[in-house]
Amino acid sequence: MLDSVRPGAPVVGSVRYPDDGVWHPGGEAGVFTFSVADGDSDVVRFRYTFLGETSKSVAASADGTASVSWTPKRSGPFWVEVESFDAAQNVSSRTVYEFLVS
């Protein structure tokens, strides 16, 4: 059977650089975790890009999560854009995770 159903938009989180509208001290790497939307069990990878840099991909673990480390090079508003892909290479809508670095 052909899988034509797009996965849900990924959920993004970071303890060091949360998307909370508050300025957070920079200069250190932050770990950003990508996870599957509720009910998506066949996500195999995530494609992400920080602040318009070249996009990269990371494989999803068996539990549908992946983590990447990224260090801001200056202060200011930042964002990471993330999409999830399922085993049939259907792509989700994009999640934009915004955070502030002082």
Side-chain angles (χ1 to χ4, degrees):
M1 174 181 258
L2 177 64
D3 177 1
S4 61
V5 177
R6 292 172 54 164
V11 177
V12 180
S14 174
V15 172
R16 178 88 178 118
Y17 299 112
D19 180 0
D20 60 3
V22 175
W23 291 88
H24 298 276
E28 293 184 24
V31 174
F32 295 81
T33 301
F34 312 144
S35 58
V36 297
D38 288 339
D40 284 327
S41 61
D42 65 343
V43 169
V44 296
R45 71 180 173 99
F46 298 95
R47 180 171 59 199
Y48 65 95
T49 182
F50 282 92
L51 196 62
E53 295 177 350
T54 302
S55 65
K56 298 178 182 176
S57 289
V58 61
S61 64
D63 68 354
T65 64
S67 293
V68 299
S69 179
W70 187 80
T71 305
K73 295 177 176 57
R74 60 171 177 77
S75 61
F78 289 91
W79 63 89
V80 58
E81 298 177 19
V82 186
E83 298 165 308
S84 56
F85 289 79
D86 65 16
Q89 296 307 304
N90 296 309
V91 62
S92 70
S93 58
R94 183 174 297 152
T95 295
V96 179
Y97 180 89
E98 299 175 345
F99 54 102
L100 303 171
V101 178
S102 60

Coordinates of all heavy atoms in Angstrom, one line a residue:
M1 N 0.8 -1.2 0.0 CA 0.0 0.0 0.0 C 0.9 1.2 0.0 O 1.9 1.3 0.8 CB -0.9 0.0 1.2 CG -1.7 1.2 1.4 SD -2.7 1.2 2.9 CE -4.3 0.8 2.1
L2 N 0.6 2.2 -0.8 CA 1.3 3.4 -0.9 C 1.0 4.4 0.2 O -0.2 4.6 0.5 CB 1.0 4.1 -2.3 CG 1.6 5.5 -2.5 CD1 3.1 5.3 -2.6 CD2 1.1 6.1 -3.8
D3 N 2.0 4.9 0.9 CA 1.8 5.8 2.0 C 1.9 7.2 1.4 O 3.0 7.7 1.0 CB 2.9 5.6 3.0 CG 2.9 6.6 4.2 OD1 1.9 7.4 4.2 OD2 3.7 6.5 5.1
S4 N 0.8 7.9 1.4 CA 0.8 9.3 0.9 C 0.4 10.3 2.0 O 0.2 11.5 1.7 CB -0.2 9.4 -0.3 OG -1.5 9.1 0.1
V5 N 0.4 9.9 3.2 CA 0.0 10.7 4.4 C 1.3 11.4 4.9 O 2.2 10.8 5.3 CB -0.7 9.9 5.5 CG1 -1.0 10.8 6.7 CG2 -1.9 9.2 4.9
R6 N 1.2 12.7 4.9 CA 2.3 13.5 5.5 C 2.4 13.4 7.0 O 1.3 13.4 7.7 CB 2.1 15.0 5.1 CG 2.3 15.3 3.6 CD 1.9 16.7 3.3 NE 2.7 17.6 4.1 CZ 2.8 18.9 3.9 NH1 2.2 19.4 2.9 NH2 3.5 19.7 4.7
P7 N 3.6 13.3 7.6 CA 3.7 13.3 9.0 C 3.3 14.7 9.6 O 3.4 15.7 8.8 CB 5.1 13.0 9.3 CG 5.9 13.3 8.0 CD 4.9 13.2 6.9
G8 N 3.0 14.7 10.8 CA 2.7 16.0 11.5 C 4.0 16.9 11.6 O 5.1 16.3 11.6
A9 N 3.8 18.1 11.8 CA 4.9 19.0 12.0 C 5.7 18.6 13.3 O 5.1 18.2 14.3 CB 4.5 20.5 12.2
P10 N 7.0 18.6 13.3 CA 7.8 18.2 14.4 C 7.7 19.2 15.6 O 7.4 20.4 15.4 CB 9.2 18.1 13.9 CG 9.3 19.0 12.7 CD 7.9 19.0 12.1
V11 N 7.9 18.7 16.8 CA 8.0 19.4 18.0 C 9.5 19.7 18.3 O 10.3 18.8 18.2 CB 7.3 18.7 19.2 CG1 7.4 19.5 20.5 CG2 5.9 18.4 18.8
V12 N 9.8 20.9 18.6 CA 11.2 21.3 18.9 C 11.3 21.9 20.3 O 10.4 22.6 20.7 CB 11.7 22.4 17.8 CG1 13.1 22.8 18.1 CG2 11.5 21.9 16.4
G13 N 12.4 21.6 20.9 CA 12.6 22.1 22.3 C 14.1 22.2 22.6 O 14.9 21.5 22.0
S14 N 14.4 23.1 23.5 CA 15.8 23.3 24.0 C 15.7 23.8 25.4 O 15.0 24.8 25.7 CB 16.6 24.3 23.1 OG 17.8 24.5 23.7
V15 N 16.5 23.2 26.3 CA 16.5 23.7 27.7 C 17.4 25.0 27.8 O 17.0 25.9 28.4 CB 17.1 22.6 28.6 CG1 17.4 23.1 30.0 CG2 16.2 21.4 28.7
R16 N 18.5 25.0 27.1 CA 19.4 26.2 27.1 C 18.8 27.4 26.4 O 19.0 28.5 26.8 CB 20.7 25.8 26.4 CG 21.7 26.9 26.3 CD 22.6 26.9 27.6 NE 23.6 28.0 27.5 CZ 23.6 29.0 28.3 NH1 22.8 29.1 29.3 NH2 24.5 29.9 28.1
Y17 N 18.1 27.2 25.3 CA 17.5 28.3 24.5 C 16.1 28.0 24.2 O 15.7 27.6 23.1 CB 18.3 28.4 23.2 CG 19.8 28.8 23.4 CD1 20.8 27.9 23.0 CD2 20.1 30.0 23.9 CE1 22.1 28.2 23.2 CE2 21.5 30.3 24.1 CZ 22.5 29.4 23.7 OH 23.8 29.7 23.9
P18 N 15.2 28.1 25.2 CA 13.8 27.9 25.1 C 13.1 29.0 24.2 O 13.6 30.1 24.1 CB 13.2 27.9 26.5 CG 14.2 28.7 27.3 CD 15.6 28.5 26.6
D19 N 12.0 28.6 23.6 CA 11.2 29.5 22.8 C 10.2 30.1 23.7 O 9.0 29.7 23.8 CB 10.5 28.7 21.7 CG 9.6 29.6 20.8 OD1 9.5 30.8 21.0 OD2 9.0 29.1 19.9
D20 N 10.6 31.1 24.6 CA 9.8 31.6 25.6 C 9.7 33.2 25.6 O 9.1 33.8 26.5 CB 10.2 31.1 27.0 CG 11.7 31.5 27.3 OD1 12.3 32.3 26.5 OD2 12.1 31.1 28.4
G21 N 10.3 33.8 24.6 CA 10.3 35.3 24.5 C 11.2 36.0 25.5 O 11.1 37.2 25.6
V22 N 12.1 35.2 26.2 CA 13.0 35.8 27.1 C 14.4 35.7 26.5 O 14.7 34.7 25.9 CB 12.9 35.0 28.5 CG1 13.9 35.5 29.4 CG2 11.5 35.1 29.0
W23 N 15.2 36.7 26.8 CA 16.6 36.7 26.3 C 17.4 35.8 27.2 O 17.4 35.9 28.5 CB 17.2 38.1 26.4 CG 16.6 39.0 25.3 CD1 15.4 39.7 25.4 CD2 17.0 39.2 24.0 NE1 15.2 40.4 24.3 CE2 16.1 40.0 23.3 CE3 18.1 38.7 23.2 CZ2 16.3 40.4 22.0 CZ3 18.2 39.1 21.9 CH2 17.3 39.9 21.3
H24 N 18.2 34.9 26.6 CA 19.1 33.9 27.3 C 20.5 34.2 27.0 O 20.9 34.4 25.8 CB 18.6 32.5 27.0 CG 17.2 32.2 27.4 ND1 16.9 31.8 28.6 CD2 16.1 32.3 26.7 CE1 15.6 31.7 28.7 NE2 15.1 32.0 27.5
P25 N 21.4 34.0 28.0 CA 22.9 34.3 27.8 C 23.4 33.3 26.7 O 23.1 32.1 26.7 CB 23.5 34.0 29.1 CG 22.4 34.1 30.1 CD 21.1 33.7 29.4
G26 N 24.2 33.8 25.8 CA 24.8 33.0 24.7 C 26.2 32.5 25.0 O 26.6 32.5 26.2
G27 N 26.9 32.2 24.0 CA 28.3 31.8 24.1 C 28.4 30.3 24.4 O 29.6 29.8 24.5
E28 N 27.4 29.6 24.6 CA 27.4 28.1 24.9 C 26.5 27.4 23.9 O 25.5 27.9 23.4 CB 27.0 27.8 26.3 CG 27.9 28.4 27.4 CD 27.5 27.9 28.7 OE1 26.8 26.9 28.9 OE2 27.8 28.7 29.7
A29 N 26.9 26.1 23.6 CA 26.1 25.3 22.8 C 24.8 25.0 23.4 O 24.8 24.8 24.7 CB 26.9 24.0 22.4
G30 N 23.8 24.9 22.6 CA 22.5 24.5 23.1 C 22.1 23.2 22.4 O 22.5 23.0 21.3
V31 N 21.5 22.3 23.1 CA 21.0 21.0 22.5 C 19.5 21.3 22.1 O 18.7 21.7 23.0 CB 21.1 19.9 23.5 CG1 20.5 18.6 22.9 CG2 22.6 19.6 23.8
F32 N 19.2 21.0 20.9 CA 17.9 21.1 20.3 C 17.3 19.8 20.0 O 18.0 19.0 19.3 CB 17.9 22.0 19.1 CG 18.3 23.4 19.4 CD1 19.6 23.8 19.5 CD2 17.3 24.4 19.6 CE1 20.0 25.1 19.8 CE2 17.7 25.7 19.9 CZ 19.0 26.0 20.0
T33 N 16.2 19.4 20.6 CA 15.6 18.1 20.4 C 14.4 18.2 19.5 O 13.5 19.1 19.7 CB 15.2 17.5 21.8 OG1 16.3 17.4 22.6 CG2 14.6 16.1 21.6
F34 N 14.3 17.4 18.5 CA 13.2 17.3 17.6 C 12.5 16.0 17.9 O 13.1 15.0 18.1 CB 13.7 17.2 16.1 CG 14.8 18.2 15.8 CD1 15.8 17.9 14.9 CD2 14.7 19.5 16.3 CE1 16.8 18.8 14.6 CE2 15.7 20.5 16.0 CZ 16.7 20.1 15.1
S35 N 11.2 16.1 17.9 CA 10.4 14.9 18.2 C 9.2 14.8 17.2 O 8.8 15.9 16.7 CB 9.9 14.8 19.6 OG 9.2 15.9 20.0
V36 N 8.6 13.7 17.1 CA 7.4 13.5 16.2 C 6.2 14.1 16.9 O 6.0 14.1 18.1 CB 7.2 12.0 15.9 CG1 8.4 11.4 15.2 CG2 6.9 11.2 17.1
A37 N 5.3 14.4 16.0 CA 4.0 14.9 16.4 C 3.2 13.7 17.0 O 3.5 12.5 16.6 CB 3.2 15.6 15.3
D38 N 2.2 13.9 17.8 CA 1.4 12.8 18.4 C 0.9 12.0 17.3 O 0.3 12.4 16.3 CB 0.3 13.4 19.2 CG 0.8 14.0 20.5 OD1 1.9 13.6 21.0 OD2 0.0 14.8 21.1
G39 N 1.0 10.6 17.4 CA 0.4 9.7 16.5 C 1.3 9.3 15.3 O 1.0 8.4 14.6
D40 N 2.4 10.0 15.1 CA 3.3 9.7 14.0 C 4.3 8.7 14.5 O 5.1 9.0 15.4 CB 4.1 10.9 13.5 CG 3.2 11.8 12.6 OD1 2.3 11.3 11.9 OD2 3.3 13.0 12.7
S41 N 4.3 7.5 13.9 CA 5.2 6.5 14.4 C 6.2 6.1 13.3 O 7.1 5.2 13.6 CB 4.4 5.2 14.8 OG 3.7 4.7 13.7
D42 N 6.1 6.7 12.1 CA 7.1 6.2 11.1 C 8.0 7.3 10.6 O 8.6 7.2 9.5 CB 6.3 5.6 9.9 CG 5.4 6.7 9.1 OD1 5.2 7.8 9.7 OD2 5.0 6.4 8.0
V43 N 8.3 8.3 11.4 CA 9.2 9.3 11.1 C 10.6 8.8 11.2 O 11.0 8.1 12.2 CB 9.1 10.6 12.0 CG1 10.3 11.6 11.8 CG2 7.8 11.3 11.7
V44 N 11.4 9.0 10.1 CA 12.8 8.4 10.1 C 13.9 9.4 10.1 O 15.0 9.1 10.4 CB 13.0 7.5 8.8 CG1 12.0 6.3 8.9 CG2 12.8 8.3 7.5
R45 N 13.6 10.7 9.8 CA 14.6 11.7 9.8 C 14.0 13.1 9.9 O 12.8 13.3 9.6 CB 15.6 11.6 8.6 CG 15.0 12.1 7.3 CD 16.0 11.9 6.2 NE 15.4 12.2 4.9 CZ 15.4 13.4 4.3 NH1 16.1 14.4 4.8 NH2 14.8 13.6 3.1
F46 N 14.8 14.0 10.3 CA 14.5 15.4 10.4 C 15.4 16.2 9.5 O 16.6 15.9 9.5 CB 14.5 15.9 11.8 CG 13.6 15.2 12.8 CD1 14.0 14.2 13.5 CD2 12.3 15.7 12.9 CE1 13.2 13.5 14.4 CE2 11.4 15.0 13.8 CZ 11.9 13.9 14.5
R47 N 14.9 17.2 8.8 CA 15.8 18.2 8.1 C 15.6 19.5 8.9 O 14.5 19.9 9.2 CB 15.3 18.3 6.7 CG 16.2 19.3 5.9 CD 15.9 19.3 4.4 NE 14.5 19.6 4.1 CZ 13.9 19.3 3.0 NH1 14.5 18.7 2.0 NH2 12.6 19.7 2.9
Y48 N 16.8 20.2 9.1 CA 16.8 21.4 9.9 C 17.8 22.4 9.4 O 18.7 22.1 8.7 CB 17.1 21.1 11.4 CG 18.5 20.6 11.6 CD1 19.5 21.4 12.0 CD2 18.8 19.2 11.5 CE1 20.8 21.0 12.2 CE2 20.1 18.8 11.7 CZ 21.0 19.6 12.1 OH 22.3 19.2 12.3
T49 N 17.5 23.7 9.6 CA 18.4 24.7 9.3 C 18.3 25.8 10.4 O 17.2 26.2 10.8 CB 18.1 25.3 7.9 OG1 19.1 26.3 7.6 CG2 16.8 25.9 7.8
F50 N 19.4 26.3 10.8 CA 19.5 27.4 11.8 C 19.7 28.7 11.1 O 20.6 28.8 10.3 CB 20.6 27.2 12.8 CG 20.3 26.2 13.9 CD1 20.7 24.9 13.7 CD2 19.7 26.6 15.0 CE1 20.4 24.0 14.7 CE2 19.4 25.7 16.0 CZ 19.8 24.4 15.9
L51 N 18.8 29.7 11.3 CA 19.0 31.0 10.8 C 19.4 31.1 9.3 O 20.3 31.8 8.9 CB 20.0 31.8 11.6 CG 20.0 33.3 11.6 CD1 18.7 33.9 12.0 CD2 21.1 33.9 12.4
G52 N 18.8 30.3 8.5 CA 19.1 30.3 7.0 C 20.4 29.7 6.6 O 20.8 29.8 5.4
E53 N 21.1 29.0 7.5 CA 22.3 28.2 7.1 C 21.9 27.1 6.2 O 20.7 26.8 6.0 CB 23.0 27.7 8.3 CG 23.5 28.7 9.3 CD 24.2 28.1 10.5 OE1 24.0 26.9 10.8 OE2 24.8 28.9 11.3
T54 N 22.9 26.4 5.6 CA 22.6 25.2 4.8 C 21.9 24.2 5.6 O 22.2 23.9 6.8 CB 24.0 24.6 4.3 OG1 24.6 25.7 3.6 CG2 23.7 23.4 3.4
S55 N 20.9 23.6 5.0 CA 20.1 22.6 5.8 C 20.9 21.3 6.0 O 21.8 21.0 5.2 CB 18.8 22.3 5.1 OG 19.0 21.7 3.8
K56 N 20.6 20.6 7.0 CA 21.2 19.3 7.4 C 20.1 18.4 7.8 O 19.0 18.8 8.1 CB 22.2 19.5 8.6 CG 23.3 20.5 8.3 CD 24.2 20.6 9.5 CE 25.3 21.6 9.2 NZ 26.1 21.9 10.4
S57 N 20.5 17.1 7.8 CA 19.5 16.1 8.2 C 20.1 15.2 9.3 O 21.3 15.1 9.4 CB 19.2 15.1 7.0 OG 18.4 15.7 6.1
V58 N 19.2 14.7 10.2 CA 19.6 13.9 11.3 C 18.6 12.8 11.4 O 17.4 13.0 11.2 CB 19.7 14.7 12.6 CG1 18.4 15.3 13.0 CG2 20.3 13.8 13.7
A59 N 19.0 11.5 11.6 CA 18.1 10.4 11.7 C 17.4 10.4 13.0 O 17.9 10.9 14.0 CB 19.0 9.1 11.6
A60 N 16.1 10.0 12.9 CA 15.3 9.8 14.1 C 15.6 8.5 14.8 O 15.9 7.5 14.1 CB 13.8 9.9 13.7
S61 N 15.7 8.5 16.1 CA 15.9 7.3 16.8 C 14.6 6.5 16.8 O 13.6 6.9 16.3 CB 16.3 7.6 18.2 OG 15.3 8.3 18.9
A62 N 14.6 5.3 17.4 CA 13.5 4.4 17.4 C 12.3 5.1 18.1 O 11.1 4.8 17.7 CB 13.8 3.1 18.1
D63 N 12.5 6.0 19.0 CA 11.4 6.6 19.7 C 10.9 7.9 19.0 O 10.1 8.7 19.5 CB 11.7 6.9 21.2 CG 12.8 8.0 21.3 OD1 13.4 8.4 20.3 OD2 13.1 8.4 22.5
G64 N 11.5 8.2 17.8 CA 11.1 9.3 17.0 C 11.7 10.6 17.4 O 11.1 11.7 17.1
T65 N 12.8 10.6 18.1 CA 13.5 11.9 18.5 C 14.9 11.9 17.9 O 15.4 10.9 17.5 CB 13.6 12.0 20.0 OG1 14.4 11.0 20.5 CG2 12.2 11.9 20.7
A66 N 15.4 13.1 17.8 CA 16.8 13.4 17.4 C 17.2 14.7 18.1 O 16.4 15.6 18.4 CB 16.9 13.6 15.9
S67 N 18.5 14.8 18.5 CA 19.0 16.0 19.1 C 20.3 16.4 18.3 O 21.0 15.6 17.8 CB 19.4 15.7 20.5 OG 18.3 15.4 21.3
V68 N 20.4 17.8 18.2 CA 21.6 18.4 17.6 C 22.1 19.5 18.5 O 21.3 20.1 19.3 CB 21.2 18.9 16.2 CG1 20.8 17.8 15.3 CG2 20.2 20.0 16.3
S69 N 23.4 19.7 18.5 CA 24.0 20.8 19.2 C 24.3 22.0 18.3 O 24.7 21.8 17.2 CB 25.2 20.3 19.9 OG 25.9 21.3 20.6
W70 N 24.0 23.2 18.8 CA 24.3 24.4 17.9 C 24.7 25.5 18.9 O 24.1 25.7 19.9 CB 23.1 24.7 17.1 CG 23.3 25.8 16.1 CD1 23.9 25.7 14.9 CD2 22.9 27.2 16.2 NE1 23.9 26.9 14.3 CE2 23.3 27.9 15.1 CE3 22.3 27.9 17.2 CZ2 23.1 29.2 14.9 CZ3 22.0 29.3 17.0 CH2 22.4 29.9 15.9
T71 N 25.7 26.3 18.5 CA 26.2 27.4 19.2 C 25.9 28.7 18.5 O 26.4 28.9 17.4 CB 27.7 27.3 19.5 OG1 27.9 26.1 20.2 CG2 28.1 28.4 20.4
P72 N 25.2 29.7 19.1 CA 25.0 31.0 18.4 C 26.3 31.8 18.4 O 27.1 31.7 19.4 CB 23.9 31.7 19.2 CG 23.8 30.9 20.5 CD 24.4 29.6 20.3
K73 N 26.6 32.4 17.3 CA 27.9 33.2 17.2 C 27.8 34.6 17.6 O 28.8 35.3 17.5 CB 28.4 33.0 15.7 CG 28.8 31.6 15.4 CD 29.2 31.5 13.9 CE 29.6 30.1 13.5 NZ 28.7 29.1 13.7
R74 N 26.6 35.1 17.9 CA 26.4 36.5 18.3 C 25.1 36.5 19.1 O 24.4 35.5 19.2 CB 26.3 37.4 17.0 CG 25.1 36.9 16.1 CD 24.9 38.0 15.0 NE 23.9 37.5 14.0 CZ 22.6 37.6 14.3 NH1 22.1 38.0 15.4 NH2 21.7 37.1 13.3
S75 N 24.7 37.7 19.5 CA 23.5 37.9 20.2 C 22.4 38.3 19.2 O 22.7 38.7 18.1 CB 23.6 38.9 21.3 OG 23.9 40.2 20.8
G76 N 21.2 38.1 19.6 CA 20.1 38.5 18.7 C 19.0 37.4 18.6 O 19.0 36.4 19.3
P77 N 18.0 37.7 17.8 CA 16.9 36.7 17.7 C 17.4 35.6 16.7 O 18.1 35.9 15.7 CB 15.7 37.5 17.1 CG 16.4 38.7 16.5 CD 17.6 39.0 17.2
F78 N 17.1 34.4 17.0 CA 17.4 33.2 16.2 C 16.2 32.3 16.0 O 15.2 32.4 16.7 CB 18.6 32.4 16.8 CG 19.9 33.1 16.9 CD1 20.2 33.9 17.9 CD2 20.8 33.0 15.8 CE1 21.5 34.5 18.0 CE2 22.0 33.6 15.8 CZ 22.4 34.4 16.9
W79 N 16.4 31.4 15.0 CA 15.3 30.4 14.8 C 16.0 29.2 14.1 O 17.0 29.3 13.5 CB 14.2 31.0 14.0 CG 14.6 31.4 12.6 CD1 14.6 30.6 11.4 CD2 15.0 32.7 12.1 NE1 15.0 31.3 10.4 CE2 15.3 32.6 10.8 CE3 15.2 33.9 12.8 CZ2 15.7 33.7 10.0 CZ3 15.6 35.0 12.1 CH2 15.9 34.9 10.7
V80 N 15.3 28.1 14.3 CA 15.6 26.8 13.6 C 14.3 26.4 13.0 O 13.2 26.4 13.6 CB 16.2 25.8 14.5 CG1 15.3 25.4 15.7 CG2 16.6 24.5 13.7
E81 N 14.4 26.0 11.7 CA 13.3 25.5 10.9 C 13.5 24.0 10.8 O 14.6 23.5 10.5 CB 13.2 26.1 9.6 CG 13.0 27.6 9.6 CD 13.0 28.3 8.3 OE1 12.8 27.6 7.2 OE2 13.2 29.5 8.2
V82 N 12.4 23.2 11.1 CA 12.6 21.7 11.1 C 11.4 21.1 10.4 O 10.2 21.5 10.5 CB 12.6 21.2 12.6 CG1 12.8 19.7 12.6 CG2 13.6 21.9 13.4
E83 N 11.7 20.1 9.6 CA 10.7 19.3 8.9 C 10.9 17.8 9.2 O 12.1 17.4 9.4 CB 10.7 19.5 7.4 CG 10.4 20.9 7.0 CD 10.9 21.1 5.5 OE1 12.0 20.8 5.2 OE2 10.0 21.6 4.8
S84 N 9.9 17.0 9.3 CA 10.1 15.6 9.5 C 9.7 14.8 8.2 O 8.9 15.3 7.4 CB 9.2 15.1 10.7 OG 7.9 15.4 10.5
F85 N 10.4 13.7 8.1 CA 10.2 12.8 6.9 C 9.8 11.4 7.4 O 10.5 10.9 8.3 CB 11.5 12.7 6.0 CG 11.8 14.0 5.3 CD1 12.4 15.0 5.9 CD2 11.5 14.1 4.0 CE1 12.7 16.2 5.3 CE2 11.8 15.3 3.3 CZ 12.4 16.3 3.9
D86 N 8.8 10.8 6.8 CA 8.5 9.4 7.1 C 9.2 8.4 6.2 O 10.0 8.9 5.3 CB 7.0 9.2 7.1 CG 6.3 9.3 5.8 OD1 7.0 9.3 4.7 OD2 5.1 9.4 5.7
A87 N 9.0 7.2 6.4 CA 9.7 6.1 5.6 C 9.5 6.2 4.1 O 10.3 5.8 3.3 CB 9.4 4.8 6.2
A88 N 8.3 6.8 3.7 CA 8.0 6.9 2.3 C 8.5 8.3 1.8 O 8.2 8.6 0.6 CB 6.5 6.8 2.1
Q89 N 9.2 9.0 2.6 CA 9.8 10.3 2.2 C 8.7 11.4 2.1 O 8.9 12.4 1.4 CB 10.7 10.2 1.0 CG 11.9 9.4 1.2 CD 12.7 9.8 2.4 OE1 13.1 10.9 2.6 NE2 12.9 8.9 3.4
N90 N 7.5 11.2 2.7 CA 6.6 12.3 2.8 C 7.1 13.3 3.8 O 7.7 12.9 4.8 CB 5.2 11.8 3.3 CG 4.6 10.8 2.3 OD1 4.5 11.1 1.2 ND2 4.2 9.6 2.8
V91 N 7.0 14.6 3.5 CA 7.5 15.6 4.3 C 6.4 16.4 5.1 O 5.3 16.6 4.5 CB 8.4 16.6 3.5 CG1 7.6 17.3 2.5 CG2 9.1 17.6 4.4
S92 N 6.7 16.7 6.3 CA 5.7 17.5 7.1 C 5.7 18.9 6.8 O 6.6 19.4 6.0 CB 6.1 17.3 8.6 OG 7.3 18.1 8.9
S93 N 4.8 19.7 7.4 CA 4.9 21.1 7.3 C 6.1 21.5 8.2 O 6.5 20.8 9.1 CB 3.6 21.8 7.7 OG 3.2 21.4 9.0
R94 N 6.5 22.7 8.0 CA 7.7 23.2 8.7 C 7.4 23.8 10.1 O 6.4 24.6 10.2 CB 8.4 24.3 7.9 CG 9.7 24.8 8.5 CD 10.3 25.8 7.5 NE 10.7 25.0 6.3 CZ 10.8 25.5 5.1 NH1 10.6 26.8 4.8 NH2 11.1 24.7 4.1
T95 N 8.2 23.5 11.1 CA 8.1 24.1 12.4 C 9.2 25.1 12.5 O 10.3 24.8 12.2 CB 8.2 23.0 13.5 OG1 7.1 22.1 13.5 CG2 8.3 23.7 14.9
V96 N 8.8 26.3 13.0 CA 9.8 27.4 13.2 C 9.9 27.6 14.7 O 8.9 28.0 15.3 CB 9.4 28.7 12.4 CG1 10.5 29.8 12.7 CG2 9.3 28.4 10.9
Y97 N 11.0 27.4 15.2 CA 11.3 27.5 16.7 C 12.2 28.7 16.9 O 13.3 28.8 16.4 CB 12.0 26.2 17.2 CG 12.3 26.2 18.6 CD1 11.5 25.7 19.6 CD2 13.6 26.6 19.1 CE1 11.8 25.6 20.9 CE2 13.9 26.6 20.4 CZ 13.0 26.1 21.3 OH 13.4 26.0 22.7
E98 N 11.7 29.7 17.5 CA 12.4 31.0 17.7 C 12.9 31.2 19.1 O 12.2 30.8 20.1 CB 11.4 32.2 17.4 CG 10.9 32.1 16.0 CD 9.9 33.2 15.7 OE1 9.3 33.8 16.6 OE2 9.6 33.4 14.5
F99 N 14.1 31.7 19.3 CA 14.7 31.9 20.6 C 15.6 33.2 20.6 O 16.0 33.6 19.5 CB 15.5 30.7 21.0 CG 16.5 30.2 20.1 CD1 17.9 30.5 20.3 CD2 16.2 29.5 19.0 CE1 18.8 30.0 19.4 CE2 17.2 29.0 18.1 CZ 18.5 29.3 18.3
L100 N 15.8 33.7 21.7 CA 16.5 35.0 21.9 C 17.8 34.8 22.7 O 17.8 34.2 23.7 CB 15.6 36.0 22.6 CG 14.3 36.3 22.0 CD1 13.4 37.2 22.9 CD2 14.5 37.0 20.6
V101 N 18.9 35.3 22.1 CA 20.2 35.1 22.7 C 20.8 36.5 23.0 O 20.9 37.4 22.1 CB 21.2 34.4 21.8 CG1 22.6 34.2 22.4 CG2 20.6 33.0 21.5
S102 N 21.2 36.7 24.3 CA 21.8 38.0 24.7 C 23.3 37.9 24.7 O 23.9 36.9 24.6 CB 21.3 38.4 26.1 OG 21.6 37.5 27.1

